Amino acid sequence: MTISDLDLQAHFDATIGRDRRIEPRDWMPEAYRATMIRQIAQHAHSEIIGMQPEGNWITRAPSLRRKAILLAKVQDEAGHGMYLYSAAETLGADRSDLTEVLLDLQLPDAHVRRCRRHRLAGGRGRDLQPGAAVPFLVRPVRARDGPDLQRGVVPSAAGL
């Protein structure tokens, strides 16, 4: 017994009409899925881009305590963005496509975008123009960073 698209659409509409939740693996119209992915991705991009102004102030903060506060805020925004990207992935989005859109928003210049994409892929060498800032988010975590940083935990202000 096969279920027709009309039956699936009717079930979807009834679920929405009862104000019930639609799960990512549930059937939904492709236009609805695409809209959800677009909205979630826009929110994720906003979180990632929104952390950058605070990140620029970390080195200018007058005390270690204020540096730690800014680090925590940047880490929090990055975490929100990553959770949202994961949510979009559950709906069928590809992380590399989402990253490409983020890079297009951030870096309209094709050469710089290509270099940043190489960096995100774990490339080595001189892949950015001199003086270009690389946000912490795109720097790969290395073994020498220590176990706390590898788990994504920024040390407390007292530990700094």
Side-chain angles (χ1 to χ4, degrees):
M1 178 178 165
T2 61
I3 300 174
S4 72
D5 286 343
L6 292 175
D7 292 336
L8 291 171
Q9 182 69 46
H11 177 69
F12 176 82
D13 292 338
T15 303
I16 295 290
R18 289 190 311 267
D19 202 25
R20 296 279 173 101
R21 183 179 302 190
I22 299 293
E23 296 295 331
R25 290 189 176 88
D26 291 347
W27 183 91
M28 63 184 79
E30 285 306 312
Y32 182 87
R33 184 178 299 274
T35 299
M36 293 304 300
I37 290 171
R38 182 182 54 79
Q39 289 176 347
I40 292 170
Q42 284 177 337
H43 189 171
H45 301 330
S46 172
E47 295 285 345
I48 298 299
I49 290 173
M51 74 181 187
Q52 292 176 344
E54 281 83 13
N56 291 335
W57 287 98
I58 292 171
T59 58
R60 300 178 185 126
S63 68
L64 241 44
R65 182 175 183 276
R66 289 191 182 174
K67 285 181 192 301
I69 290 168
L70 286 170
L71 281 169
K73 183 167 175 60
V74 167
Q75 183 182 24
D76 189 52
E77 296 297 318
H80 293 159
M82 293 299 108
Y83 280 129
L84 287 163
Y85 284 136
S86 294
E89 283 180 310
T90 65
L91 288 167
D94 185 44
R95 179 73 66 110
S96 62
D97 292 341
L98 297 174
T99 303
E100 190 67 32
V101 172
L102 175 65
L103 292 175
D104 287 340
L105 291 172
Q106 265 189 303
L107 306 165
D109 181 86
H111 171 71
V112 176
R113 189 173 60 246
R114 185 173 49 254
C115 293
R116 182 67 64 86
R117 189 178 315 113
H118 176 68
R119 176 104 175 155
L120 283 169
R124 296 200 180 351
R126 190 169 164 259
D127 49 9
L128 288 175
Q129 296 174 351
V134 179
F136 177 78
L137 176 69
V138 300
R139 183 181 66 75
V141 176
R142 299 178 192 92
R144 68 174 182 257
D145 288 335
D148 286 340
L149 194 54
Q150 289 175 12
R151 289 193 314 271
V153 177
V154 176
S156 68
L160 290 175

